Amino acid sequence: MYKNIVFLTLAFLNFLEAAYNFDTPIVLNGTLNSNIERKCPSGWASFQRQKGLYCIKVFYPPPYWYTQPQAQAMCNEIGARLAGIETPAERNYIERTAVTYMTNMSLTETRIWIGGVRTVNCLLPNTAQKCSDPRYAFTWSDGNVVGDHEFIWGANQPANQNGQECVQMSVSIFPTTSDQVTGYGRISTLDDVSCDGNKELWELVRYAQIACGQRAPIVAFDTY
């Protein structure tokens, strides 16, 4: 009986965090719980953020082309959201995963949906001067990132064209002998795009990926 209660409690707490971005500290039976063990699911990469342990996994499900709402829905189905980027380690992981996939598929470029959106105050066609600053015009949407220093844009990006209210990571590779890990040089930058995607661009790039993220689920707790 006790194990069943613990299992149901953990499931309920993780549901709250996934559905409502619920955060600790958690109060159980009137007692503050500060000893919570979290762990990323198998197959997910773990990263330490300012708000705690965070998990990211890159997917590339068929049909390989989808809109941002469709990508977000795919993450939601597994209790996650499109992942923002808080640290260089997270960016490097997403980039390396894309490079491995492109190498296997004989591709030189791909696009990845990530959790970045234009801020409400800067939705186009707003032409306020402060909206020309990408640090103000865009924000991470996964509800967990602290800071904006990983908004690293490509040349002439964000383009701020009408309707470009979501963010993708563009990853390109080129042969090199300087990268002993993959055998490829890597270039990854951000691009503001239409949330409905650009079908002509996708047909050119051919394949897309999705970076999903979630706060590491609670696997154990101890009250005192």
Side-chain angles (χ1 to χ4, degrees):
M1 177 65 73
Y2 175 75
K3 290 183 178 180
N4 290 338
I5 293 175
V6 171
F7 174 81
L8 292 174
T9 301
L10 292 176
F12 179 65
L13 293 177
N14 286 318
F15 167 78
L16 287 177
E17 291 198 342
Y20 303 105
N21 201 29
F22 191 78
D23 200 3
T24 52
I26 297 171
V27 176
L28 297 173
N29 298 324
T31 303
L32 180 63
N33 176 7
S34 61
N35 186 14
I36 294 176
E37 181 183 352
R38 296 178 178 274
K39 184 178 181 180
C40 289
S42 176
W44 293 66
S46 303
F47 301 94
Q48 192 62 45
R49 288 185 170 182
Q50 292 190 43
K51 291 186 177 181
L53 193 64
Y54 194 76
C55 316
I56 297 178
K57 186 172 183 178
V58 178
F59 297 87
Y60 29 88
Y64 306 112
W65 176 82
Y66 11 72
T67 66
Q68 191 267 9
Q70 289 172 331
Q72 186 70 267
M74 292 180 192
C75 291
N76 293 161
E77 288 177 359
I78 55 175
R81 303 180 181 187
L82 285 174
I85 304 174
E86 181 170 306
T87 66
E90 295 173 17
R91 171 182 289 276
N92 289 338
Y93 163 73
I94 296 173
E95 185 182 88
R96 289 197 310 270
T97 302
V99 167
T100 299
Y101 180 70
M102 286 189 290
T103 302
N104 293 337
M105 299 296 293
S106 299
L107 302 174
T108 58
E109 182 181 359
T110 192
R111 294 279 179 135
I112 306 167
W113 282 116
I114 59 175
V117 295
R118 191 177 292 274
T119 59
V120 174
N121 291 334
C122 287
L123 291 176
L124 299 179
N126 191 323
T127 57
Q129 180 63 34
K130 59 186 177 182
C131 290
S132 63
D133 184 345
R135 294 171 299 177
Y136 181 87
F138 287 86
T139 186
W140 297 117
S141 58
D142 67 3
N144 190 273
V145 171
V146 175
D148 58 12
H149 43 277
E150 286 302 316
F151 271 114
I152 301 175
W153 299 93
N156 302 316
Q157 298 295 335
N160 294 315
Q161 296 180 4
N162 190 34
Q164 294 187 330
E165 297 171 357
C166 290
V167 178
Q168 293 171 347
M169 176 187 284
S170 172
V171 182
S172 302
I173 58 176
F174 52 91
T176 179
T177 58
S178 62
D179 190 331
Q180 298 179 1
V181 177
T182 65
Y184 285 86
R186 305 189 295 269
I187 299 176
S188 66
T189 55
L190 303 185
D191 183 10
D192 60 328
V193 297
S194 166
C195 297
D196 290 333
N198 183 326
K199 190 171 184 179
E200 290 72 22
L201 175 61
W202 287 116
E203 289 175 345
L204 176 64
V205 176
R206 293 179 53 202
Y207 294 94
Q209 298 170 65
I210 301 171
C212 296
Q214 61 176 317
R215 189 172 187 188
I218 301 171
V219 296
F221 62 86
D222 182 23
T223 60
Y224 61 91

